[in-house]
Amino acid sequence: MAGSEIFYNYVLRVETQRLRIGYRLLTESGRVAAEGSFPVFHEMEHMDRVLPRQIGPDVPGSVMNAMRKIGALLYQKVLEGAVMREFGRILDVGGVISLMVATRSRRIAGLPWEAFHDGTDFLVKGGRILVGRTAEGLRQEVPRALGEQVRVLVAALMPPEREPAYEVERRANSVFSTLTQFSDAGAVDLTAATADSATALSARIAEHKPHVVVMVATSEGGGVFTSQAEMVTTTKVVGALMSTPHLRCVFFTSPVCEQMSFMDAAWQLVQQGLPAVFCY
C-alpha cells in the first residue's frame, strides 16, 4: 500500500447476552461509534462443520458459497447501518480501516469475521478494510528482555505417511533464515524435532526449553490431532506447550493450511497467559 495512506484503528467488542449477541464499535480514542445487538443465528451452532478445513485454490465452490453466506450474515447483523456509515466517511477520503474483533467468548472468536461480505465481495479483498481477532480479559504479561540465546523448537506431530508434506527440515531452515534477518545467527538456537505422541512432545519441550515453538500438525477435526502413536487432543497439546515457563510464543502451521483446526488450542493458550499465538 502507498505510504500516504492513513490507517484508522477500531475495536469491535462482541459478547454474548443470553440469546443475543451485543457489539460496540470503539475508535482509537475510546469513542463509541456504533453499538447494537442481534439474535443468535442458527448457523452458529455448527460453525465448525461449515468452515473450510483448508484454504487454497482447490477449495470447493460449495465451501466458498458457505463462507459468503456466513460473511453476509455477519455483515448484515453488525456492519450494515451505523458501522458502515462510520467507515464510509473514512473510506471516502482514501483511509484504510483496521478492525480488531475482541471478545471473551470462544464461540464468538470462532466466527469467521474476516469473511464479512457486502453482497458483492468479501470486504477484505479490497484492501481498504483489514480484519483481525483478539481475546479480551486475559492476564497481562509485561514482556521482558531474554538476556540469553533465543531457543526455537520446530516440533511436528507427524504421522509417518505425511512426512513428505510436513517438510520439517525445510520449515526449520525457513524459520532460521527469517530470525537471522533480525539477529546474528549465534543469537538463535534452533532445533527441529518430530514427536509420535503427546508424551514425546512434552519430552522434546522439556529437553529444549524453547522460548518459541513452531508447531506443525494435522487435524482430524473436533480438536484432535494425528500422530504416529495416538490421536492427540487439544488439551494434551496445550499442556505440553505450557509445561515450560520459558515459552513466549507459539506458531501453529499445517501442510494444508488448516488454520481453523488450531483455534481451540490458540484460545486456550492465550487464556492461560501466553503472550502471543499465531496460526498460519
Side-chain angles (χ1 to χ4, degrees), residues 10 40 54 71 77 86 106 110 133 140 167 190 195 219 244:
Y10 287 86
V40 173
Q54 47 186 337
K77 294 179 181 299
E86 171 75 15
R106 161 66 181 88
R133 293 179 248 180
Q140 297 298 314
E167 298 182 298
L190 187 142
S219 173
T244 174

Side-chain angles (χ1 to χ4, degrees), residues 28-41:
E28 288 184 87
S29 65
R31 174 178 66 88
V32 178
E35 58 185 332
S37 68
F38 56 90
V40 173
F41 49 92

Side-chain angles (χ1 to χ4, degrees), residues 45-252:
E45 299 302 322
H46 304 290
M47 188 62 64
D48 290 341
R49 299 180 187 176
V50 178
L51 296 176
R53 288 190 61 203
Q54 47 186 337
I55 300 170
D58 298 328
V59 173
S62 59
V63 172
M64 292 306 300
N65 289 336
M67 293 297 289
R68 292 186 186 96
K69 180 180 179 180
I70 296 168
L73 280 170
L74 291 172
Y75 179 89
Q76 293 162 10
K77 294 179 181 299
V78 179
L79 296 192
E80 196 169 59
V83 174
M84 284 308 296
R85 285 194 294 271
E86 171 75 15
F87 289 172
R89 64 183 184 81
I90 293 170
L91 297 174
D92 287 345
V93 297
V96 178
I97 292 165
S98 175
L99 177 64
M100 183 61 68
V101 179
T103 183
R104 297 171 185 263
S105 167
R106 161 66 181 88
R107 184 185 189 191
I108 299 299
L111 294 175
W113 298 96
E114 297 84 355
F116 279 129
H117 196 288
D118 64 2
T120 301
D121 209 342
F122 296 106
L123 294 190
V124 296
K125 287 184 68 175
R128 313 302 301 184
I129 299 179
L130 312 177
V131 183
R133 293 179 248 180
T134 190
E136 286 197 317
L138 304 178
R139 186 175 71 222
Q140 297 298 314
E141 297 281 345
V142 179
R144 306 181 309 278
L146 286 178
E148 60 180 316
Q149 192 178 41
V150 179
R151 295 186 296 275
V152 180
L153 175 64
V154 179
L157 277 172
M158 186 164 59
E161 68 276 8
R162 300 298 300 277
E163 184 170 357
Y166 275 55
E167 298 182 298
V168 178
E169 292 297 332
R170 183 190 64 79
R171 291 173 186 270
N173 291 335
S174 177
V175 170
F176 186 80
S177 176
T178 299
L179 290 174
T180 52
Q181 292 181 31
F182 303 97
S183 183
D184 294 335
V188 179
D189 175 10
L190 187 142
T191 302
T194 59
D196 61 6
S197 64
T199 300
L201 176 62
S202 296
R204 301 287 184 275
I205 291 172
E207 177 184 357
H208 298 292
K209 300 179 176 60
H211 301 107
V212 178
V213 172
V214 179
M215 186 78 214
V216 190
T218 300
S219 173
E220 287 298 307
V224 176
F225 299 91
T226 55
S227 70
Q228 181 175 345
E230 62 180 351
M231 305 297 282
V232 182
T233 65
T234 293
T235 300
K236 288 183 178 180
V237 169
V238 170
L241 291 168
M242 294 300 288
S243 63
T244 174
H246 305 278
L247 191 63
R248 302 290 186 87
C249 177
V250 172
F251 290 83
F252 285 109

